[in-house]
Amino acid sequence: MQKPWLMRGGAVALGGLVLAWMLGWIDGSLLASKYSSDPAVAELQRLSDEAIQAGVPKDDAQRQAFRQRIEGLTDAQRREFFTSSQPKFTLMMERKLNDFFALSPAEQRRELDAEIDRMEAGKSNGKGKGGGPGGAGDRGAFGGEISPEKRDEMRKRKLDATTPELRAKFETRLDMLNERRAKRGLEPMGPGRGR
């Protein structure tokens, strides 16, 4: 037989917690944080959330500043940031692709030309390291060589995070980029292209 005072006390305590949370006296971060316990990683996670809510930053200076902060992380911190941010990166990629395909053909061509110009400027500044624009080739984002097994695992994770429709849009845009690069006398970009 349960004691009525114990049940009433539990109900009052639970009701009090719910009321305190509704009044804002208990911050949701106290219950469970969506950010890392590492302050450097948490700050970048917060900044990427803000960028997504505001729309992907169009300013190259903002993107470069964010990249520099990522480069300042340790390998373990970068790994944690990229792993936790994969769904956000997928969302940003989807928005960017949808915005691109909503443009007129002339606007698409201008955007592709601007992207090619940035890629080529990055190469001449020593920023391009292989593996695509500003890429890391076989080193990966975390430094060190990437084994074929690790590369397959990373590719599978990326595939799992995207839909077939999104991958098709990405491939179509990459094909358009490479067609534009060819018209400008440049080598194609992307895995397995131009090798």
Side-chain angles (χ1 to χ4, degrees), residues 22-108:
M22 288 173 63
L23 293 174
W25 296 345
I26 297 177
D27 187 354
S29 65
L30 294 175
L31 302 174
S33 178
K34 67 178 183 174
Y35 299 124
S36 171
S37 60
D38 183 313
V41 175
E43 177 66 10
L44 288 174
Q45 289 170 329
R46 186 186 61 74
L47 288 172
S48 70
D49 281 353
E50 289 174 4
I52 289 169
Q53 289 174 350
V56 180
K58 306 254 186 263
D59 183 358
D60 282 339
Q62 288 176 303
R63 285 193 293 264
Q64 184 60 29
F66 193 77
R67 258 187 234 112
Q68 287 174 342
R69 292 190 68 173
I70 291 172
E71 289 170 4
L73 298 174
T74 66
D75 289 347
Q77 288 172 321
R78 267 195 303 276
R79 190 173 296 111
E80 180 183 357
F81 173 73
F82 284 120
T83 301
S84 69
S85 299
Q86 182 63 47
K88 291 184 259 186
F89 291 147
T90 301
L91 177 62
M92 287 192 315
M93 182 173 70
E94 186 171 15
R95 284 182 183 171
K96 185 174 180 177
L97 288 168
N98 289 339
D99 290 348
F100 175 79
F101 285 111
L103 299 173
S104 72
E107 291 170 322
Q108 289 176 350

Side-chain angles (χ1 to χ4, degrees), residues 3 6 8 14 34 42 49 54 70 83 91 93 96 101 110-111 113 121 130 139 147 153 172-173 176 183 193:
K3 299 180 180 177
L6 186 60
R8 274 186 251 139
L14 181 60
K34 67 178 183 174
D49 281 353
I70 291 172
T83 301
L91 177 62
M93 182 173 70
K96 185 174 180 177
F101 285 111
R110 277 194 295 276
E111 186 168 315
D113 282 335
R139 289 185 310 102
S147 69
E153 177 188 330
T172 300
R173 189 179 185 288
M176 292 171 73
K183 285 182 181 174
R193 292 174 165 89

Side-chain angles (χ1 to χ4, degrees), residues 103-122:
L103 299 173
S104 72
E107 291 170 322
Q108 289 176 350
R109 189 172 44 258
R110 277 194 295 276
E111 186 168 315
L112 291 171
D113 282 335
E115 184 175 344
I116 291 168
D117 291 343
R118 281 191 304 272
M119 289 175 181
E120 295 305 307

Side-chain angles (χ1 to χ4, degrees), residues 100-183:
F100 175 79
F101 285 111
L103 299 173
S104 72
E107 291 170 322
Q108 289 176 350
R109 189 172 44 258
R110 277 194 295 276
E111 186 168 315
L112 291 171
D113 282 335
E115 184 175 344
I116 291 168
D117 291 343
R118 281 191 304 272
M119 289 175 181
E120 295 305 307
K123 284 182 184 179
S124 66
N125 293 335
K127 293 178 185 174
K129 300 173 188 157
D138 287 336
R139 289 185 310 102
F142 314 124
E145 293 292 320
I146 298 177
S147 69
E149 296 81 20
K150 184 70 173 172
R151 190 175 300 111
D152 286 342
E153 177 188 330
M154 290 166 51
R155 184 172 36 243
K156 183 181 181 327
R157 226 179 300 137
K158 286 179 184 177
L159 283 174
D160 290 345
T162 60
T163 64
E165 294 82 15
L166 183 59
R167 290 192 298 273
K169 285 181 182 179
F170 178 81
E171 284 295 322
T172 300
R173 189 179 185 288
L174 183 59
D175 289 342
M176 292 171 73
L177 178 73
N178 283 326
E179 286 174 21
R180 194 70 193 144
R181 287 182 66 84
K183 285 182 181 174

